[in-house]
Each structure stands twice: as structure tokens, then as C-alpha cells.
Amino acid sequence: MSEETTSLTFAELGLPDTLLQTLTSVGYESPSPIQALTIPHLLAGRDVLGRGRTGSGKTIAFGAPLVENVLRSQAGQRREFARKPRALILAPTRELALQIDRTVQPIARSVGLFTTQIYGGVPQGRQVGALRKGVDIVIGTPGRIEDLINQGKLDLSDVRVAVLDEADHMCELGFLEPVQRIL
Ligand code: AMP
């Protein structure tokens, strides 16, 4: 659980009812400070730079508004087979990508959106298979993501929302240039 919460509600931050129900059902009653400070700006479509320790609730801070922004961008459209992703979350390591997916996937699935993980060190077959069927939110590491783009198997031209999680750590691991090229 997040170490601290506020006396606000997620509804007061502007999240829609569908997502509120999901957040409550997974046990998040009220927003943590980083969530209260960032979610309204993210819902308004602004760029946000956040700093918070592990345990601050930063994944929900970017994850919940990201799901809402993807939903809004698809409003009125059918979710087609082989649709291109609308959101990208970059992380420095496979472990962090998995952790982000564990938090974001239940929120995304509750409103019918699909996530997939794209990271190196494993065969790419399953990842490419998921992309072929169509996913809404890609979560992954810069190396494999750029690799699939260069192979023509990942098309980010419909992406509306991009998140760099642990941007400082990505720079330390030498991902600055791949991240810049991907963006
Ligand atoms: P994070 O900082 O994103 O790694 O989140 C730390 C932990 O806090 C995770 O286990 C989340 O599931 C949990 N968490 C995130 N937001 C809340 C919240 N508003 N209320 C309670 N727990 C939360």
C-alpha cells in the first residue's frame, strides 16, 4: 500500500466513474499526495514531471489518467483488430515493466483496453503476436521497442500519451539516445 494518502477523493481529481469503481475495488480509497498533485494536470493533457520514492503511488498517478486519455482518444471508434497502440510507457528494466503492467493492466482491462509488455532477453514471437492482434498500451524497455520499430513490427504513430518511468535510471543505463529516437 502507498505510505500516505490524502483526504481528497479520486472523484475530486476528475477521474470518471468507471475508473473510480476499479480503483476502489483494488483497495485504493483515496489518492496519495503525488496522485492528488499530478492526476488533474494529466487529465487536462499537460506534460508532467513527477518525483516520488518507491511506494509513493506514482504508477497509479500516471497509469489511471493514461487509461482515461486513451479511452477518450478512442471514443466512438470500434476497437479494431491490429489497431495501433495509443500509449507508451518506457521503463529501464524488464522487472519494472512487469511491475508497471501488474498495476496498470487491471485498470485498463476494466474498461476493455489491452496492455502488452515489450522487453528484451526473451524471444520476440509472443510480443509481435500481441501487437498483430492489436494492443492499446505498450509497456517496455527502450532497446526491444526500438528493435521492433526498426523491424516494422511496432508502429507508434497513433501514440497520444508517453510516460518515461525512472527516467534518471534509463539515462544511467545508456538509454538516453534510444529514448530520444523513440519519442
Ligand atoms: P508505486 O509508488 O507506484 O510503486 O506504488 C506503491 C504501492 O502503493 C503499490 O503497491 C500500489 O498498489 C499502492 N498504491 C498506489 N496508490 C495507492 C492509493 N491511492 N491507496 C493505497 N495504495 C496505493
Side-chain angles (χ1 to χ4, degrees):
M1 293 292 271
S2 182
E3 290 152 11
E4 244 187 298
T5 52
T6 61
S7 57
L8 292 164
T9 64
F10 281 108
E12 286 171 304
L13 305 184
L15 285 169
D17 287 348
T18 38
L19 295 187
L20 298 178
Q21 283 167 19
T22 310
L23 290 172
T24 313
S25 72
V26 288
Y28 306 154
E29 298 293 336
S30 50
S32 70
I34 197 168
Q35 292 162 357
L37 286 166
T38 57
I39 289 175
H41 295 289
L42 290 166
L43 289 173
R46 297 189 187 105
D47 287 338
V48 170
L49 173 64
R51 281 180 74 177
R53 284 171 300 145
T54 303
S56 61
K58 66 187 169 63
T59 316
I60 295 288
F62 65 71
L66 175 146
V67 168
E68 168 60 7
N69 286 336
V70 170
L71 268 183
R72 281 191 209 154
S73 80
Q74 289 186 342
Q77 292 172 25
R78 284 194 35 224
R79 230 158 266 151
E80 287 171 13
F81 193 76
R83 65 194 176 282
K84 293 184 252 173
R86 301 272 176 141
L88 173 69
I89 303 173
L90 290 172
T93 63
R94 164 189 171 156
E95 289 67 33
L96 183 59
L98 289 168
Q99 204 182 307
I100 297 167
D101 197 25
R102 272 198 294 275
T103 303
V104 174
Q105 193 186 55
I107 304 172
R109 288 297 303 128
S110 75
V111 292
L113 299 179
F114 286 81
T115 67
T116 202
Q117 302 153 14
I118 307 279
Y119 48 72
V122 295
Q124 68 178 41
R126 271 185 58 187
Q127 300 173 357
V128 173
L131 292 171
R132 270 206 207 107
K133 282 191 242 162
V135 295
D136 305 291
I137 301 165
V138 166
I139 302 162
T141 51
R144 176 62 63 88
I145 287 193
E146 194 170 37
D147 190 8
L148 294 189
I149 293 171
N150 292 338
Q151 293 179 45
K153 291 174 174 155
L154 172 59
D155 180 345
L156 295 180
S157 60
D158 273 355
V159 166
R160 312 302 170 90
V161 184
V163 174
L164 309 181
D165 199 0
E166 295 194 0
D168 49 348
H169 194 192
M170 279 201 281
C171 288
E172 284 159 16
L173 293 180
F175 285 136
L176 177 62
E177 287 176 5
V179 168
Q180 284 174 331
R181 286 193 295 266
I182 293 167
L183 290 178

